[in-house]
Short mmCIF file of all heavy atoms in Angstrom, two decimals:
data_model
loop_
_atom_site.label_atom_id
_atom_site.label_comp_id
_atom_site.label_asym_id
_atom_site.label_seq_id
_atom_site.Cartn_x
_atom_site.Cartn_y
_atom_site.Cartn_z
N LEU A 805 51.32 2.02 -17.34
CA LEU A 805 52.57 2.70 -17.03
C LEU A 805 52.43 4.10 -17.70
O LEU A 805 52.23 4.26 -18.83
CB LEU A 805 53.66 1.98 -17.84
CG LEU A 805 55.08 2.23 -17.41
CD1 LEU A 805 55.31 1.93 -15.93
CD2 LEU A 805 56.14 1.50 -18.23
N VAL A 806 52.49 5.12 -16.71
CA VAL A 806 52.33 6.50 -17.18
C VAL A 806 53.41 7.33 -16.68
O VAL A 806 53.77 7.34 -15.46
CB VAL A 806 50.98 7.07 -16.54
CG1 VAL A 806 50.63 8.39 -17.21
CG2 VAL A 806 49.74 6.11 -16.67
N HIS A 807 54.11 8.11 -17.56
CA HIS A 807 55.22 8.94 -17.31
C HIS A 807 56.26 8.19 -16.45
O HIS A 807 56.93 8.70 -15.54
CB HIS A 807 54.84 10.20 -16.46
CG HIS A 807 53.58 10.92 -16.93
ND1 HIS A 807 53.39 11.13 -18.30
CD2 HIS A 807 52.50 11.42 -16.25
CE1 HIS A 807 52.22 11.78 -18.36
NE2 HIS A 807 51.71 11.98 -17.20
N GLY A 808 56.41 6.88 -16.76
CA GLY A 808 57.44 6.05 -16.14
C GLY A 808 57.03 5.50 -14.79
O GLY A 808 57.88 4.68 -14.08
N ASN A 809 55.81 5.63 -14.37
CA ASN A 809 55.39 4.98 -13.10
C ASN A 809 54.12 4.12 -13.40
O ASN A 809 53.41 4.46 -14.31
CB ASN A 809 55.06 6.05 -11.92
CG ASN A 809 56.34 6.68 -11.48
OD1 ASN A 809 57.06 5.94 -10.84
ND2 ASN A 809 56.49 7.86 -11.61
N LEU A 810 53.91 3.17 -12.49
CA LEU A 810 52.77 2.30 -12.58
C LEU A 810 51.55 2.97 -11.85
O LEU A 810 51.65 3.44 -10.78
CB LEU A 810 53.15 0.97 -11.88
CG LEU A 810 52.39 -0.28 -12.45
CD1 LEU A 810 52.44 -0.38 -13.92
CD2 LEU A 810 53.19 -1.44 -11.81
N TYR A 811 50.38 3.00 -12.51
CA TYR A 811 49.13 3.55 -11.89
C TYR A 811 48.07 2.48 -12.16
O TYR A 811 48.05 1.83 -13.16
CB TYR A 811 48.71 4.84 -12.63
CG TYR A 811 49.62 6.05 -12.34
CD1 TYR A 811 50.78 6.23 -13.13
CD2 TYR A 811 49.25 7.08 -11.50
CE1 TYR A 811 51.60 7.36 -12.92
CE2 TYR A 811 50.05 8.18 -11.24
CZ TYR A 811 51.22 8.31 -12.05
OH TYR A 811 52.03 9.42 -11.89
N GLY A 812 47.16 2.46 -11.16
CA GLY A 812 46.02 1.48 -11.40
C GLY A 812 44.87 1.75 -10.52
O GLY A 812 44.95 2.27 -9.47
N THR A 813 43.65 1.27 -11.08
CA THR A 813 42.38 1.41 -10.26
C THR A 813 42.12 0.02 -9.73
O THR A 813 41.83 -0.93 -10.52
CB THR A 813 41.27 1.78 -11.25
OG1 THR A 813 41.63 2.97 -11.95
CG2 THR A 813 40.03 2.04 -10.48
N SER A 814 42.12 -0.09 -8.39
CA SER A 814 41.82 -1.45 -7.82
C SER A 814 40.28 -1.58 -7.81
O SER A 814 39.51 -0.56 -7.71
CB SER A 814 42.36 -1.53 -6.45
OG SER A 814 41.63 -0.66 -5.56
N ILE A 815 39.85 -2.81 -7.84
CA ILE A 815 38.44 -3.09 -7.79
C ILE A 815 37.92 -2.65 -6.45
O ILE A 815 36.84 -2.02 -6.35
CB ILE A 815 38.17 -4.64 -8.01
CG1 ILE A 815 38.61 -4.96 -9.45
CG2 ILE A 815 36.73 -5.08 -7.69
CD1 ILE A 815 38.73 -6.45 -9.67
N GLU A 816 38.72 -2.73 -5.47
CA GLU A 816 38.34 -2.31 -4.09
C GLU A 816 38.04 -0.86 -4.05
O GLU A 816 37.17 -0.39 -3.34
CB GLU A 816 39.45 -2.72 -3.14
CG GLU A 816 38.95 -2.86 -1.71
CD GLU A 816 40.17 -3.24 -0.78
OE1 GLU A 816 41.04 -4.04 -1.29
OE2 GLU A 816 40.12 -2.86 0.37
N ALA A 817 38.94 -0.07 -4.75
CA ALA A 817 38.72 1.41 -4.73
C ALA A 817 37.36 1.84 -5.33
O ALA A 817 36.76 2.77 -4.79
CB ALA A 817 39.85 2.01 -5.62
N VAL A 818 36.94 1.15 -6.38
CA VAL A 818 35.70 1.48 -7.01
C VAL A 818 34.55 0.98 -6.12
O VAL A 818 33.49 1.74 -5.93
CB VAL A 818 35.58 0.80 -8.47
CG1 VAL A 818 34.21 1.00 -9.05
CG2 VAL A 818 36.65 1.45 -9.35
N GLU A 819 34.67 -0.16 -5.47
CA GLU A 819 33.65 -0.75 -4.64
C GLU A 819 33.45 0.17 -3.34
O GLU A 819 32.36 0.35 -2.90
CB GLU A 819 33.99 -2.13 -4.20
CG GLU A 819 33.65 -3.12 -5.41
CD GLU A 819 34.05 -4.57 -5.03
OE1 GLU A 819 34.54 -4.81 -3.96
OE2 GLU A 819 33.65 -5.40 -5.88
N ALA A 820 34.65 0.75 -2.87
CA ALA A 820 34.54 1.52 -1.71
C ALA A 820 33.62 2.75 -1.90
O ALA A 820 32.83 3.21 -1.09
CB ALA A 820 35.91 2.07 -1.31
N VAL A 821 33.64 3.34 -3.18
CA VAL A 821 32.75 4.47 -3.49
C VAL A 821 31.31 4.03 -3.59
O VAL A 821 30.48 4.67 -3.02
CB VAL A 821 33.28 5.11 -4.84
CG1 VAL A 821 32.33 6.29 -5.16
CG2 VAL A 821 34.70 5.58 -4.65
N SER A 822 31.07 2.87 -4.26
CA SER A 822 29.73 2.52 -4.36
C SER A 822 29.15 1.98 -2.98
O SER A 822 27.97 2.24 -2.74
CB SER A 822 29.49 1.51 -5.44
OG SER A 822 30.36 0.45 -5.34
N ASP A 823 30.04 1.50 -2.16
CA ASP A 823 29.56 1.07 -0.89
C ASP A 823 29.11 2.23 -0.02
O ASP A 823 28.32 2.09 0.91
CB ASP A 823 30.67 0.29 -0.08
CG ASP A 823 30.87 -1.11 -0.61
OD1 ASP A 823 30.01 -1.55 -1.45
OD2 ASP A 823 31.83 -1.79 -0.18
N ALA A 824 29.72 3.40 -0.32
CA ALA A 824 29.36 4.63 0.43
C ALA A 824 28.19 5.28 -0.26
O ALA A 824 27.78 6.43 0.12
CB ALA A 824 30.64 5.58 0.47
N GLY A 825 27.58 4.65 -1.24
CA GLY A 825 26.34 5.14 -1.86
C GLY A 825 26.64 6.29 -2.78
O GLY A 825 25.74 7.11 -3.07
N LYS A 826 27.84 6.41 -3.29
CA LYS A 826 28.17 7.55 -4.08
C LYS A 826 28.52 7.16 -5.61
O LYS A 826 28.75 6.03 -5.87
CB LYS A 826 29.43 8.33 -3.48
CG LYS A 826 29.12 8.87 -2.10
CD LYS A 826 30.27 9.67 -1.73
CE LYS A 826 30.11 10.12 -0.25
NZ LYS A 826 31.18 11.01 0.18
N ARG A 827 28.56 8.20 -6.37
CA ARG A 827 28.89 7.99 -7.82
C ARG A 827 30.34 8.19 -7.92
O ARG A 827 30.95 9.18 -7.54
CB ARG A 827 28.13 9.11 -8.55
CG ARG A 827 28.15 8.88 -10.01
CD ARG A 827 27.26 9.88 -10.66
NE ARG A 827 27.31 9.79 -12.07
CZ ARG A 827 26.85 10.64 -12.99
NH1 ARG A 827 26.19 11.69 -12.52
NH2 ARG A 827 27.00 10.49 -14.24
N CYS A 828 31.03 7.20 -8.62
CA CYS A 828 32.47 7.15 -8.71
C CYS A 828 33.08 8.07 -9.76
O CYS A 828 32.63 8.09 -10.88
CB CYS A 828 32.85 5.63 -8.93
SG CYS A 828 34.59 5.32 -8.67
N ILE A 829 34.16 8.71 -9.37
CA ILE A 829 34.89 9.49 -10.34
C ILE A 829 36.30 8.92 -10.50
O ILE A 829 37.00 8.77 -9.41
CB ILE A 829 35.07 10.99 -9.86
CG1 ILE A 829 33.66 11.62 -9.69
CG2 ILE A 829 35.88 11.76 -10.91
CD1 ILE A 829 33.78 13.14 -9.27
N LEU A 830 36.74 8.61 -11.68
CA LEU A 830 38.03 8.11 -11.87
C LEU A 830 38.96 9.06 -12.72
O LEU A 830 38.47 9.48 -13.71
CB LEU A 830 37.99 6.75 -12.72
CG LEU A 830 37.36 5.57 -12.07
CD1 LEU A 830 35.92 5.53 -12.23
CD2 LEU A 830 37.95 4.27 -12.67
N ASP A 831 40.07 9.41 -12.12
CA ASP A 831 41.05 10.30 -12.79
C ASP A 831 42.12 9.33 -13.33
O ASP A 831 43.00 8.95 -12.55
CB ASP A 831 41.60 11.28 -11.77
CG ASP A 831 42.66 12.25 -12.37
OD1 ASP A 831 43.23 11.90 -13.41
OD2 ASP A 831 42.97 13.16 -11.69
N ILE A 832 42.13 8.98 -14.58
CA ILE A 832 42.97 8.03 -15.15
C ILE A 832 43.47 8.48 -16.58
O ILE A 832 42.79 9.29 -17.20
CB ILE A 832 42.35 6.62 -15.18
CG1 ILE A 832 41.08 6.57 -16.06
CG2 ILE A 832 42.12 6.05 -13.82
CD1 ILE A 832 40.50 5.16 -16.22
N ASP A 833 44.57 7.89 -16.98
CA ASP A 833 45.06 8.28 -18.28
C ASP A 833 44.39 7.60 -19.42
O ASP A 833 43.42 6.87 -19.19
CB ASP A 833 46.57 7.99 -18.38
CG ASP A 833 46.83 6.58 -18.82
OD1 ASP A 833 46.20 5.68 -18.25
OD2 ASP A 833 47.72 6.34 -19.67
N VAL A 834 44.70 7.95 -20.66
CA VAL A 834 43.99 7.49 -21.86
C VAL A 834 44.11 5.97 -21.99
O VAL A 834 43.02 5.33 -22.31
CB VAL A 834 44.54 8.12 -23.09
CG1 VAL A 834 43.77 7.63 -24.36
CG2 VAL A 834 44.35 9.63 -23.02
N GLN A 835 45.19 5.34 -21.59
CA GLN A 835 45.27 3.89 -21.62
C GLN A 835 44.31 3.25 -20.71
O GLN A 835 43.60 2.31 -21.00
CB GLN A 835 46.66 3.38 -21.24
CG GLN A 835 47.80 4.04 -21.96
CD GLN A 835 49.12 3.65 -21.26
OE1 GLN A 835 49.53 2.53 -21.35
NE2 GLN A 835 49.71 4.68 -20.68
N GLY A 836 44.21 3.89 -19.48
CA GLY A 836 43.23 3.42 -18.47
C GLY A 836 41.84 3.63 -18.99
O GLY A 836 41.01 2.68 -18.78
N ALA A 837 41.57 4.68 -19.66
CA ALA A 837 40.18 4.91 -20.18
C ALA A 837 39.84 3.87 -21.09
O ALA A 837 38.76 3.31 -21.15
CB ALA A 837 40.15 6.34 -20.82
N ARG A 838 40.83 3.45 -22.02
CA ARG A 838 40.56 2.40 -23.04
C ARG A 838 40.22 1.06 -22.27
O ARG A 838 39.28 0.34 -22.72
CB ARG A 838 41.82 2.12 -23.85
CG ARG A 838 41.91 2.89 -25.10
CD ARG A 838 43.21 2.46 -25.84
NE ARG A 838 43.70 3.50 -26.73
CZ ARG A 838 43.14 3.91 -27.79
NH1 ARG A 838 42.10 3.25 -28.22
NH2 ARG A 838 43.54 4.86 -28.50
#
Side-chain angles (χ1 to χ4, degrees):
L805 197 61
V806 191
H807 316 315
N809 286 299
L810 208 48
Y811 292 79
T813 308
S814 69
I815 292 165
E816 204 178 327
V818 175
E819 281 179 354
V821 178
S822 51
D823 287 352
K826 297 188 189 182
R827 190 172 175 192
C828 191
I829 304 184
L830 292 86
D831 173 346
I832 58 177
D833 86 316
V834 179
Q835 305 169 73
R838 268 186 208 284

